[in-house]
Amino acid sequence: MIDLRSIKSKVMVATISILAMLPFIPIAHLFFTVVANGIYAISQNFPGFFYMERSIPGSGVIGGVGPYIVGTAILVSIATLIGVPLSILIAIYASEFIQSRLTNAGDVIITTLFEFPTIIIGLMTFALISVLNDAIRIYLLIDVELPKFSVLSGSIALTIVMLPFLYVQIKESLRSIPISIREAAYSLGLSRIKANFYIFLVYARGSIVTSILIAISKIMGETAPLLFTAFGSDFYTISDPGFLFKPIGSLTLAIYNLGLSPYEEWIATAWGAAFILLLMVLSLYIIARYIARGAYLR
Amino acid sequence: MARLIEHPLGIIMLLVISIVSVMIIFLIIQSIPILLYRGLEFLTTSSWNPVKEEYGILFALGGSVVVGLISVALGAVLSISLAVFVAEISPVRLRSIFVTLNDIGAAVPTVIYGLWGLIYLAPFLYDYVMAPLSTFLSSVLGVPSRPGTSIFTASILMAIMIVPFSSAIIREGLLSIPTHLREAIISIGATRWELIWIQIKMVKNYIIGGLLIGFGRAVGETVAVAMVVGNVIQPEFYKIFLPGYTVSSLIADQYQNAEAYTYMVSALFAASLFIFIVGLLANMVGLSMVKRR
Amino acid sequence: MIMIKDLNVWYRDNKILDNINLDVPRNVILTIMGPSGSGKSTLLRAINRLIEIYPGVRVEGEIYVDGVNVFKARTEDVRRNIGMVFQIPNPIPNMSIFDNVALGPKLNKLVKSESELRDIVKWALEKAYLWDEVKDRLKEPAAKLSGGQQQRLCIARALAMRPKVILMDEPTSNLDPVATNRIEELMVELKKIVTVVLVTHNPAQAARVSDYVAFLYKGRLIEVGSSSQIFTSPKNELTEKYITGRIG
């Protein structure tokens, strides 16, 4: 009897171990192919791959992803510049006024937003601008159209993607500050703003910086919310003074569009873009983990 | 009674709440025209003919549900195994390595999964799974074609993509079991497998929660699915070896020409509203399961 | 110096302090003692309105500090004029020793120049008997100090605001006897410049340092009197039971 039990146990443990390793096979293969194909593509046009525009299909030449890198940098920077301060401010409010009705409302709405598929966040941004345009036309009777496909709407969409994650994380970081530190700050007669900015945010800086880096790495890899907003472009647009109101490309949109194209040169370009994007996202992710570990040690 | 805004910062909170609420309301407003125009047929028919302004999204809703169900069914076995392995079987020294690998899998941008799925996974599945099986299952599952993009491929890709998420949640549950309970189970002479099985039963809320959240992700995922699902209007969405659509991939694939037609924008919005509701329900139930413990 | 009139405090539906009336003269040490849960810490935190950072708390009554009704003044001003030292030494761990003491004067803009700030930090550290131990390592993080040193650092931090009153919430309960002894000596020295309100659950400590003692039990003020009177001839039976160790 006992023998049978221990045999069954060994068989099950072995089965679980094998099943547990299965998910790593495709992920390892994905890493391997992204690195191999990516480095191959980049080596075909080095260092032009980093600043040139995409090539003409059938030319046999691998172009570059310059405009996409710039686009990702611009979209992510604007979203971060809006999203991080905004999240910090509302997280401070939510951590200071735990029982406020406004905090409860914010928690419900913002965590709902967290569950939104990101394609819908793109659609909502698009809808917001459409409705605003209708309102301008009907009520203000002026013929001004806010551009639906633009750097700005793309940045707004990415801001909305990062906002709920940052809000929840920063709020938790602030709420987990020991009450003794809160009492120390407030017993000195500091206002809420000063106590938070000079003491609490500094105290929790490790976990907050980690959350911000992870948020940036998340939005950097987002494609769906940009489809309806940034729309995509294959060329440098920043020389145009009105570029904020024009569509812009990104690494993710490029991988999507070029990857689905039938041209070999473009698919190779997509791999190169994937390699660069993966490198950027994972570097941020690893730095974030490193800082988090330091924060725990402190 | 407390004031609504206790502090100037509350104004910013109110602003954020207002903007998000307004966007949700606009999403609903934008969905209304197509529902007025097509009524229930929008949900119950499978036709997508913008030229005739005919929109029925049953095929895409069906595709989304099929992809969600298959990927969760496959993902369940794998993510439970992975979570058990990390929490219970692997040496403690190696645990953080597996956790990191798992989390890196979750951090890879979905569009990169899509590219890999399109170039490698789809042909692989065609050669080794779909083509061999279709010789005797083609009447049920359909006749696959190169390069292998299909609802089945999308389901497999989503299974690969949701395992890191679901298993992280299940792992969290397993690691939260107090040591004294584990010791109690071991002390009554349980084998390793019996210990594992008892613990799996203890964390079943986490398992259901993690899988529902995975389902929500599978239904909501856009570009990765759009790259491997084939993007063909396929009323027989249950024939999973055929290319098809999910709601998200339909939106991603059609948005560029949407504004050229009267009702297409509205149709895409209404479609997103339905997957949002499905995904939100899955997520809410999932999160409440995890929180309940 | 401090006058508390008809003070009632609720947390949600529980009454924590029941109609407290108490006068504290200038430059003395008044000790509030009582068993845990008697409301001592709440009473202390009502004086500088720190109690208000806890959600669900409601306060009624009047407290005058130096003639000012604290509930009519701005909370920031009230807390600025009243120093506080806590049960767990709570310097901000990632800030330097200097910055911890400089925190109040700097953020509240009480000083006009860097040199004035340095002077006030030195003065506060000297008054807290800590200057000689830390004068060569002012830039080190506060977390590197021992528990007793950290608590004296917190006293210096409070003193740097030049308060007229210092509230101390069981400041020695987490310290060893040697460190406790130093803090107790320091308190006696401090009453030359401030009024000290001390909370303790240790009657022996109350007897060692206090001029006046208030005994709090289940949210009610049972008895107030001079230290010698309370410890030699308490009027109330509960007080006697407490100081002889029969409740607590």
Side-chain angles (χ1 to χ4, degrees):
Chain A
M1 271 310 276
I2 292 161
D3 244 347
L4 220 102
R5 267 176 74 197
S6 79
I7 288 168
K8 185 186 175 191
S9 171
K10 287 203 172 84
V11 169
M12 291 308 292
V13 169
T15 313
I16 289 174
S17 305
I18 292 165
L19 286 173
M21 290 305 108
L22 276 182
F24 290 121
I25 295 172
I27 292 175
H29 186 257
L30 176 144
F31 267 83
F32 175 75
T33 53
V34 169
V35 171
N37 290 320
I39 288 178
Y40 177 76
I42 293 169
S43 70
Q44 296 293 297
N45 183 9
F46 185 84
F49 194 83
F50 291 98
Y51 57 81
M52 284 165 73
E53 292 175 352
R54 71 166 189 209
S55 62
I56 297 158
S59 62
V61 178
I62 290 180
V65 294
Y68 312 129
I69 295 179
V70 172
T72 291
I74 291 175
L75 289 166
V76 170
S77 304
I78 298 178
T80 306
L81 287 177
I82 307 172
V84 169
L86 207 57
S87 317
I88 289 179
L89 291 175
I90 58 176
I92 289 176
Y93 184 85
S95 67
E96 286 287 335
F97 301 97
I98 294 177
Q99 296 189 329
S100 148
R101 274 182 295 162
L102 206 53
T103 300
N104 292 337
D107 276 353
V108 169
I109 297 230
I110 296 172
T111 42
T112 307
L113 195 59
F114 206 5
E115 319 299 343
F116 274 50
T118 54
I119 179 96
I120 297 186
I121 291 182
L123 279 170
M124 290 198 316
T125 312
F126 179 91
L128 181 74
I129 293 173
S130 308
V131 176
L132 281 179
N133 277 338
D134 289 350
I136 289 172
R137 205 170 49 244
I138 296 166
Y139 296 109
L140 299 179
L141 299 170
I142 43 173
D143 200 22
V144 181
E145 282 256 308
L146 295 172
K148 285 173 194 155
F149 301 131
S150 68
V151 176
L152 281 184
S153 62
S155 308
I156 293 172
L158 290 186
T159 305
I160 298 170
V161 173
M162 90 192 301
L163 192 79
F165 174 79
L166 276 178
Y167 167 74
V168 170
Q169 296 290 322
I170 298 175
K171 185 184 73 182
E172 287 308 313
S173 300
L174 289 175
R175 281 193 183 167
S176 65
I177 286 175
I179 188 71
S180 66
I181 298 289
R182 289 190 168 272
E183 290 195 316
Y186 285 121
S187 74
L188 292 173
L190 301 184
S191 65
R192 304 238 187 214
I193 300 273
K194 276 184 178 166
N196 274 284
F197 278 94
Y198 291 104
I199 299 184
F200 304 154
L201 287 178
V202 177
Y203 183 86
R205 65 187 186 282
S207 60
I208 291 176
V209 171
T210 300
S211 313
I212 291 173
L213 290 178
I214 290 180
I216 293 175
S217 81
K218 274 166 77 90
I219 60 169
M220 200 176 264
E222 281 294 349
T223 320
L226 297 178
L227 291 172
F228 269 85
T229 55
F231 195 78
S233 157
D234 295 310
F235 309 104
Y236 281 109
T237 55
I238 39 167
S239 50
D240 184 337
F243 81 97
L244 285 179
F245 302 99
K246 303 246 161 74
I248 195 166
S250 79
L251 283 170
T252 50
L253 287 171
I255 298 167
Y256 177 63
N257 289 319
L258 301 179
L260 278 170
S261 77
Y263 313 114
E264 258 176 53
E265 296 91 340
W266 285 8
I267 292 174
T269 311
W271 282 111
F275 176 69
I276 295 170
L277 179 66
L278 191 62
L279 213 58
M280 288 175 14
V281 167
L282 288 186
S283 318
L284 275 175
Y285 182 79
I286 287 163
I287 295 170
R289 295 220 14 153
Y290 181 78
I291 292 175
R293 194 169 299 169
Y296 290 133
L297 284 176
R298 190 188 61 212
Chain B
M1 195 164 102
R3 281 170 298 163
L4 181 59
I5 297 176
E6 290 93 339
H7 191 274
L9 280 178
I11 297 167
I12 296 165
M13 180 65 115
L14 192 62
L15 194 75
V16 171
I17 294 174
S18 316
I19 292 174
V20 175
S21 318
V22 162
M23 291 177 98
I24 296 175
I25 292 166
F26 286 177
L27 182 69
I28 296 168
I29 290 176
Q30 292 271 354
S31 310
I32 291 173
I34 188 71
L35 296 176
L36 290 179
Y37 169 63
R38 293 280 293 178
L40 257 186
E41 281 182 22
F42 179 67
L43 292 178
T44 55
T45 60
S46 287
S47 62
W48 189 269
N49 196 341
V51 182
K52 292 194 201 154
E53 297 284 351
E54 265 182 27
Y55 305 99
I57 58 161
L58 181 64
F59 66 99
L61 280 175
S64 289
V65 171
V66 169
V67 168
L69 289 179
I70 298 179
S71 60
V72 164
L74 283 171
V77 180
L78 295 177
S79 48
I80 294 170
S81 300
L82 180 53
V84 167
F85 180 81
V86 173
E88 195 61 41
I89 298 175
S90 83
V92 177
R93 282 177 297 121
L94 297 182
R95 188 182 285 168
S96 71
I97 296 175
F98 285 110
V99 170
T100 305
L101 285 176
N102 182 111
D103 291 355
I104 282 179
V108 174
T110 58
V111 70
I112 296 183
Y113 275 106
L115 181 65
W116 173 81
L118 175 66
I119 308 286
Y120 291 102
L121 184 66
F124 173 84
L125 289 176
Y126 176 81
D127 289 341
Y128 296 99
V129 181
M130 291 190 275
L133 284 182
S134 71
T135 49
F136 48 95
L137 283 174
S138 59
S139 58
V140 191
L141 301 177
V143 182
S145 57
R146 288 205 160 273
T149 49
S150 66
I151 290 177
F152 174 72
T153 308
S155 308
I156 301 289
L157 184 64
M158 279 320 300
I160 293 168
M161 288 170 66
I162 63 177
V163 165
F165 286 91
S166 304
S167 86
I169 291 167
I170 299 167
R171 180 182 75 219
E172 191 190 312
L174 286 169
L175 291 176
S176 74
I177 296 175
T179 320
H180 67 88
L181 281 179
R182 296 188 63 246
E183 283 169 349
I185 300 165
I186 297 167
S187 72
I188 57 169
T191 63
R192 210 165 178 201
W193 162 245
E194 285 158 353
L195 170 67
I196 289 169
W197 183 240
I198 292 169
Q199 294 194 67
I200 288 176
K201 283 195 285 193
M202 285 168 77
V203 298
K204 65 173 184 297
N205 279 343
Y206 279 91
I207 294 176
I208 298 170
L211 294 177
L212 281 170
I213 289 167
F215 180 81
R217 284 192 69 84
V219 168
E221 176 51 42
T222 306
V223 285
V225 170
M227 291 177 89
V228 300
V229 78
N231 296 334
V232 169
I233 295 157
Q234 177 53 260
E236 296 174 303
F237 53 81
Y238 41 85
K239 292 195 168 172
I240 56 173
F241 283 176
L242 297 176
Y245 262 124
T246 65
V247 175
S248 321
S249 67
L250 179 74
I251 296 168
D253 195 44
Q254 300 278 327
Y255 79 102
Q256 275 165 315
N257 358 341
E259 293 211 292
Y261 306 98
T262 317
Y263 285 100
M264 188 146 141
V265 171
S266 180
L268 293 180
F269 272 90
S272 81
L273 195 62
F274 286 106
I275 53 157
F276 165 59
I277 292 168
V278 172
L280 185 67
L281 284 178
N283 264 311
M284 274 172 25
V285 178
L287 279 178
S288 71
M289 297 297 284
V290 170
K291 278 181 189 150
R292 197 194 298 161
R293 312 214 155 198
Chain C
M1 185 67 201
I2 302 172
M3 192 166 72
I4 299 173
K5 281 176 76 179
D6 304 329
L7 182 74
N8 291 288
V9 177
W10 288 264
Y11 177 70
R12 304 227 164 90
D13 292 332
N14 301 324
K15 198 162 194 179
I16 301 180
L17 289 178
D18 188 6
N19 209 33
I20 306 286
N21 285 282
L22 183 64
D23 278 341
V24 187
R26 201 174 286 272
N27 291 26
V28 298
I29 299 180
L30 174 125
T31 302
I32 303 166
M33 64 175 190
S36 55
S38 56
K40 313 182 290 290
S41 293
T42 308
L43 177 53
L44 202 65
R45 281 166 175 73
I47 297 174
N48 67 348
R49 297 181 60 183
L50 197 61
I51 193 73
E52 291 169 26
I53 71 170
Y54 294 88
V57 170
R58 195 157 55 86
V59 184
E60 243 175 39
E62 289 166 42
I63 298 179
Y64 293 88
V65 174
D66 216 10
V68 177
N69 182 346
V70 298
F71 296 116
K72 295 260 164 65
R74 282 180 62 220
T75 42
E76 284 90 349
D77 294 334
V78 172
R79 291 173 190 158
R80 248 167 244 177
N81 294 322
I82 302 175
M84 188 156 182
V85 178
F86 300 87
Q87 193 169 0
I88 301 163
N90 60 353
I92 313 298
N94 46 16
M95 284 187 183
S96 71
I97 295 168
F98 182 91
D99 287 346
N100 262 283
V101 183
L103 200 60
K106 203 157 82 182
L107 292 185
N108 289 315
K109 302 205 169 64
L110 301 180
V111 288
K112 290 180 200 74
S113 67
E114 274 295 310
S115 65
E116 199 184 334
L117 184 66
R118 277 199 298 275
D119 289 345
I120 209 163
V121 169
K122 181 171 184 230
W123 173 83
L125 284 168
E126 278 172 351
K127 285 291 168 197
Y129 291 168
L130 193 60
W131 177 252
D132 291 334
E133 290 162 58
V134 300
K135 64 176 180 231
D136 300 323
R137 42 194 284 218
L138 290 172
K139 294 287 160 224
E140 284 183 23
K144 286 197 172 172
L145 296 175
S146 73
Q149 287 173 324
Q150 286 191 16
Q151 195 59 299
R152 278 179 280 143
L153 181 67
C154 293
I155 294 175
R157 181 176 67 194
L159 286 174
M161 307 279 297
R162 300 276 192 162
K164 298 201 175 89
V165 175
I166 286 195
L167 311 175
M168 295 192 172
D169 186 8
E170 306 194 19
T172 60
S173 62
N174 284 291
L175 302 179
D176 60 60
V178 177
T180 301
N181 203 7
R182 295 208 67 171
I183 303 266
E184 286 180 1
E185 283 170 25
L186 176 57
M187 283 184 220
V188 176
E189 198 58 32
L190 282 179
K191 75 178 175 188
K192 290 177 189 161
I193 50 171
V194 293
T195 304
V196 177
V197 181
L198 171 73
V199 157
T200 183
H201 62 246
N202 177 353
Q205 183 173 58
R208 284 197 296 271
V209 299
S210 336
D211 302 303
Y212 296 89
V213 175
F215 175 56
L216 208 59
Y217 187 69
K218 293 187 174 167
R220 289 167 171 275
L221 193 57
I222 305 297
E223 189 169 356
V224 193
S226 73
S227 180
S228 51
Q229 179 254 311
I230 294 274
F231 283 102
T232 52
S233 50
K235 296 194 181 90
N236 192 298
E237 200 185 333
L238 279 169
T239 316
E240 193 190 346
K241 276 186 176 170
Y242 181 72
I243 59 179
T244 51
R246 277 176 286 162
I247 44 175

